[in-house]
Amino acid sequence: QSGIDAAEGGANELPTWMAMAAKMNVHVMADGMIEPANIKEAMRMPEWAMWQRAIEKEVAGLVEMGTWDEVDVSVPRSRGKTILPCKIVLKIKTHQNEFGEMVVTKAKARAVAGGHRSRPGTDFWETAAYTASATAIRTVLAMAAADDHEVVSFDISMAYLFAELEPGRELYMELPELLGQGGVRAPGEYKGCGSGRGSGKVARLKRYLYGSKDAPRAWMQQVQAFFHSLGAKSLVSDRMAFRWETDVG
């Protein structure tokens, strides 16, 4: 970690060391491994092979999801559209072992759109996104415990990408730095992915990407539509908690 002790605080408070590290642009280190700020920095690290695999995995996921189409940079410029920056964010994932030490689980790469450059009312509109409240979660766990039910949780990889942009909407982004950086390669089935930044091409997004201002709202609506398709209904007290009845039992 950063060497700054975490301060005592409430459950929703950001740890002091994390907030200070973000403000001062301090590198995070776990188990002797430093979190790089960008691809070029990762290339100089002994763990570069691990970061390279993480970047290639992220690229493969973007390709498989059909995240964008490449268009000439003159297209958004002639229409007065914003071209969002793109950054590959590299993160260390850790877990605590039996001795209370933080050890590295894996290296994670994420392509993130620079939503901070978006213009409200032009590039995005509504951004409100709801999640299940802590009260709803505790209630479900209490009900399951009372009836001795099994509770299953799971994580959806690249969740935001399951939400597609509305027909006719235009959202443009720089192509990510993927090729020409220490041998990082893109999947061969997507030839356009290698054009890269500075090639005169940009990405016209077909799906919401992490960093987009309204991506959380689009994902929320995707989740709601899925549960409603199963016949589930939102609770009056919590629109992101669902219930449905079956003939079983």
Side-chain angles (χ1 to χ4, degrees), residues 173-238:
M173 181 189 74
E174 292 177 346
L175 291 171
E177 282 187 289
L178 299 175
L179 298 182
Q181 298 288 338
V184 180
R185 61 181 182 277
E189 64 270 18
Y190 187 71
K191 296 179 175 59
C193 195
S195 296
R197 196 171 302 170
S199 64
K201 301 286 186 180
V202 294
R204 178 174 178 174
L205 294 178
K206 297 162 63 178
R207 296 178 178 274
Y208 285 91
L209 204 63
Y210 287 86
S212 303
K213 286 289 187 179
D214 48 354
R217 180 177 179 83
W219 168 242
M220 175 200 73
Q221 293 172 331
Q222 189 83 1
V223 172
Q224 289 176 323
F226 170 75
F227 279 107
H228 293 162
S229 70
L230 300 178
K233 297 181 180 179
S234 299
L235 302 183
V236 175
S237 59
D238 192 328

Side-chain angles (χ1 to χ4, degrees), residues 75-235:
V75 174
R77 287 177 178 173
S78 64
R79 300 176 183 176
K81 300 293 185 181
T82 304
I83 302 176
L84 302 179
C86 178
K87 180 178 176 61
I88 300 293
V89 177
L90 305 174
K91 291 292 181 182
I92 297 172
K93 297 295 184 179
T94 62
H95 76 277
Q96 193 172 42
N97 63 17
E98 64 271 22
F99 303 107
E101 302 168 332
M102 298 303 296
V103 295
V104 175
T105 303
K106 66 176 181 178
K108 176 71 176 179
R110 175 78 73 193
V112 178
H116 61 288
R117 298 279 184 86
S118 300
R119 298 171 295 175
T122 301
D123 301 316
F124 68 93
W125 290 268
E126 296 181 87
T127 59
Y130 305 99
T131 58
S133 66
T135 299
I137 296 173
R138 286 196 295 265
T139 301
V140 170
L141 294 176
M143 294 172 62
D147 292 334
D148 197 26
H149 290 164
E150 182 179 356
V151 177
V152 179
S153 65
F154 55 91
D155 178 64
I156 300 177
S157 179
M158 308 182 82
Y160 283 3
L161 272 73
F162 283 92
E164 298 181 359
L165 263 68
E166 298 80 1
R169 183 176 176 189
E170 296 181 66
L171 190 60
Y172 298 91
M173 181 189 74
E174 292 177 346
L175 291 171
E177 282 187 289
L178 299 175
L179 298 182
Q181 298 288 338
V184 180
R185 61 181 182 277
E189 64 270 18
Y190 187 71
K191 296 179 175 59
C193 195
S195 296
R197 196 171 302 170
S199 64
K201 301 286 186 180
V202 294
R204 178 174 178 174
L205 294 178
K206 297 162 63 178
R207 296 178 178 274
Y208 285 91
L209 204 63
Y210 287 86
S212 303
K213 286 289 187 179
D214 48 354
R217 180 177 179 83
W219 168 242
M220 175 200 73
Q221 293 172 331
Q222 189 83 1
V223 172
Q224 289 176 323
F226 170 75
F227 279 107
H228 293 162
S229 70
L230 300 178
K233 297 181 180 179
S234 299
L235 302 183

Side-chain angles (χ1 to χ4, degrees), residues 1-8 15-18 20:
Q1 286 79 25
S2 66
I4 304 173
D5 291 335
E8 294 293 333
T16 303
W17 70 267
M18 186 180 296
M20 293 179 66

